[in-house]
Amino acid sequence: MNKGFKNHPYIPNSDPDVQAEMLRELGLSSLEDLHAEIPEELKLKEPLNLPEPYRSEYELKRGIGKIMNKNISTAENLNFLGAGCWQHYVPAICDEINSRSEFLTGYAGEPYNDHGRFQSLFEYESLLAELIDMEVVSVPTFDWPQAAATSLRMSSRITNRGKALVCGTIHPERYLVMENYCDPGVELVKVAFDEKTGRMDLEDLKNKIGDDVCAVYFENPGYLGFIEDQGEEISAIAHEAGAISVVGVDPSSLGVLAPPSAYGADIVCGDLQPLGMHMNYGGGQSGFISTRDEEKFVLEFPSRLFGVAPTIVEGEYGFGDIAYERTSFGNLREKGKEYVGTQTALLGITAGVYLSLMGPQGMYDLGQNILQKSQYTIQELSKIKGVKGSRFEGTGFKEFVVDFNETGKSVKEINEALLEKGIFGGKDLAVEFPEMGECALYSVTEVHLKEDIDTLVNALKAIVE
């Protein structure tokens, strides 16, 4: 707070008189006494370089508006960026329902004071379970990385082993979160991938798997967009070694692709963001974990599971926690499977609304729409001199790696030129996968019209030819 202004209307207890009264009650002479334990060399000796505080709500709104107007967003630009947060259409009903006060403000709670919230989460779990063909789904996790990490820790507890094999094409940031969350206790080891297809190298998998491996984790579709069609073989190799098959999946693909349970997955995890969630800087992400309805799996979930049960009134049903004692907020907190804090239940409810609206036919139509548009984009990009529309052989879903190595231009240069034309190009993979050279990860979803794709193709043609 600047010294020239008496108090700040949006910072509680910033009024000097209020502060003085609080300090007298505490027996202290200054606010600095509250931080006496902090070494002097770590303290800032000068005021923060902040502007004067806004004195009214109108000034605040106007000032924040000016800052927000500096953003360059998908509202005024064509967007072909994905890489873990995708631009999908969000039906208006998703925002209408999740902004209702009984859902928006609900936190934890019990059946007697959270009317409807438990049922809504049970319905979400049931709808998602149908989509991914699994029997048990927990409340949402923070995001896909945490869901994947927790899945590996569950596998470690089930098998009493401490090593997990992970596909080499995984999103590097997701891998870092998983590595951090699994340490100590579970060591992560990457498995090589085929440079032509992106698929897991089965020989490398066989060489690295052993009786110390708790799980094999792979993704389908992969981070780089390709479809991993070796799922059955990967799961068989894992099971033969006594390990658990864990698959990460983009649920928007499951209207057209077989669910992981069809090719041997024991635990399925992934991201809910494609199911009715807006892209937000630092938000909009939510993960899920699912298993078969077997005790060895169910009792290793660290988060809440909601079930349905009859009440004392005939024909009436209620909704509540299943195996609550396994959680960190159960009766024996120190014996919880993992520490679990605030989760993203509101986004789970949103996903439930989205799935109930779409239905099986809607999810099929969504998948077909994405497949057709992404294949059309690859086809048209490949007509540009020096450009390979897809670096990998085979069919991909939603995302694909565009190879610019023969254009003589870097992805950075190309993306800067695209931005001048109001287009967000694909993610530059130079840092994450330097062996690929000048390649970019592009994303096409149902929001892209043919004219949008043609605009991209024409812009790239003008830039590189």
Side-chain angles (χ1 to χ4, degrees):
M1 183 174 68
N2 289 354
K3 295 180 179 179
F5 192 58
K6 186 177 181 182
N7 54 34
H8 197 301
Y10 299 104
I11 298 180
N13 302 321
S14 62
D15 185 282
D17 294 336
V18 174
Q19 291 178 5
E21 184 179 350
M22 294 172 67
L23 289 170
R24 283 196 300 272
E25 184 68 25
L26 293 170
L28 302 175
S29 58
S30 72
L31 293 176
E32 292 301 316
D33 293 341
L34 291 169
H35 313 295
E37 73 282 3
I38 298 177
E40 286 298 316
E41 62 268 21
L42 297 181
K43 292 181 180 179
L44 183 67
K45 305 298 183 181
E46 57 191 40
L48 290 172
N49 183 21
L50 297 175
E52 288 292 319
Y54 296 109
R55 298 168 185 262
S56 68
E57 184 175 312
Y58 169 71
E59 289 176 294
L60 173 63
K61 184 176 180 180
R62 182 172 171 176
I64 296 300
K66 288 181 179 179
I67 295 173
M68 296 295 289
N69 287 336
K70 295 179 181 179
N71 286 339
I72 304 174
S73 74
T74 57
E76 60 274 358
N77 289 269
L78 276 179
N79 174 48
F80 293 92
L81 272 170
C85 187
W86 306 279
Q87 187 176 5
H88 286 279
Y89 179 69
V90 177
I93 193 172
C94 291
D95 294 331
E96 178 68 23
I97 298 298
N98 69 20
S99 62
R100 290 179 61 91
S101 60
E102 62 266 40
F103 296 135
L104 184 61
T105 62
Y107 179 83
E110 298 300 334
Y112 56 80
N113 66 4
D114 237 347
H115 303 296
R117 186 165 174 267
F118 281 24
Q119 180 178 354
S120 63
L121 286 168
F122 173 81
E123 302 291 359
Y124 145 72
E125 292 169 3
S126 302
L127 287 159
L128 187 62
E130 183 177 349
L131 177 67
I132 58 181
D133 193 31
M134 275 293 192
E135 297 164 321
V136 179
V137 176
S138 73
V139 295
T141 64
F142 293 119
D143 52 21
W144 185 345
Q146 195 230 321
T150 293
S151 297
L152 296 185
R153 279 207 165 274
M154 289 170 64
S155 301
S156 178
R157 292 194 293 270
I158 292 169
T159 62
N160 290 313
R161 299 176 178 182
K163 181 186 290 185
L165 302 182
V166 178
C167 56
T169 53
I170 188 173
H171 191 317
E173 292 180 6
R174 183 177 304 139
Y175 182 79
L176 288 175
V177 173
M178 293 166 64
E179 193 174 42
N180 180 59
Y181 197 82
C182 287
D183 181 37
V186 183
E187 176 191 1
L188 304 190
V189 177
K190 286 186 178 180
V191 179
F193 61 93
D194 187 296
E195 292 185 1
K196 292 183 178 180
T197 65
R199 298 180 301 177
M200 185 178 284
D201 184 329
L202 297 186
E203 288 305 312
D204 191 49
L205 173 61
K206 291 175 182 177
N207 291 334
K208 289 177 177 175
I209 201 162
D211 58 12
D212 58 344
V213 173
C214 67
V216 176
Y217 173 84
F218 64 100
E219 298 177 345
N220 194 22
Y223 166 57
L224 300 179
F226 61 89
I227 294 174
E228 177 58 84
D229 57 8
Q230 305 176 121
E232 197 167 343
E233 294 96 319
I234 295 171
S235 294
I237 293 170
H239 293 154
E240 188 176 346
I244 288 172
S245 175
V246 181
V247 179
V249 69
D250 173 353
S252 67
S253 70
L254 295 181
V256 290
L257 299 184
S261 58
Y263 44 87
D266 302 299
I267 302 177
V268 181
C269 60
D271 205 318
L272 294 174
Q273 190 266 328
L275 305 181
M277 275 134 240
H278 296 281
M279 298 189 300
N280 289 311
Y281 188 80
Q285 304 298 122
S286 182
F288 69 86
I289 306 172
S290 59
T291 69
R292 296 188 296 276
D293 188 10
E294 297 176 14
E295 186 174 340
K296 69 176 182 179
F297 292 114
V298 172
L299 294 184
E300 295 305 328
F301 276 94
S303 50
R304 300 177 87 167
L305 298 170
F306 289 108
V308 60
T311 70
I312 58 174
V313 178
E314 186 175 353
E316 183 180 80
Y317 292 87
F319 303 86
D321 286 284
I322 302 298
Y324 188 67
E325 65 280 357
R326 69 196 151 64
T327 67
S328 62
F329 34 84
N331 294 327
L332 299 173
R333 186 177 184 87
E334 70 278 7
K335 294 185 178 181
K337 297 300 178 180
E338 296 174 26
Y339 176 78
V340 176
T342 304
Q343 300 293 289
T344 55
L346 181 65
L347 299 185
I349 293 171
T350 305
V353 173
Y354 182 89
L355 289 172
S356 65
L357 179 72
M358 296 292 283
Q361 185 63 45
M363 293 305 293
Y364 171 78
D365 292 342
L366 173 69
Q368 283 285 91
N369 191 312
I370 292 172
L371 272 175
Q372 291 169 359
K373 288 177 176 176
S374 58
Q375 291 306 305
Y376 172 74
T377 308
I378 292 171
Q379 170 188 299
E380 295 302 303
L381 288 175
S382 297
K383 296 177 181 179
I384 302 174
K385 184 179 179 180
V387 176
K388 292 181 182 178
S390 177
R391 187 183 191 280
F392 294 117
E393 298 173 359
T395 304
F397 181 83
K398 189 159 71 178
E399 295 184 280
F400 45 92
V401 177
V402 181
D403 190 332
F404 294 101
N405 280 294
E406 296 182 13
T407 65
K409 291 183 177 291
S410 68
V411 171
K412 182 179 180 182
E413 291 173 329
I414 293 170
N415 282 348
E416 287 175 350
L418 284 174
L419 191 56
E420 291 178 2
K421 298 175 181 290
I423 301 172
F424 294 139
K427 182 180 182 181
D428 191 342
L429 297 175
V431 175
E432 297 177 348
F433 296 93
E435 66 273 22
M436 294 185 187
E438 298 301 330
C439 287
L441 183 62
Y442 275 71
S443 174
V444 172
T445 72
E446 76 281 6
V447 304
H448 294 98
L449 306 178
K450 180 179 180 296
E451 63 190 66
D452 299 332
I453 297 169
D454 292 341
T455 297
L456 169 68
V457 172
N458 291 331
L460 282 172
K461 187 174 182 179
I463 292 168
V464 303
E465 288 188 353

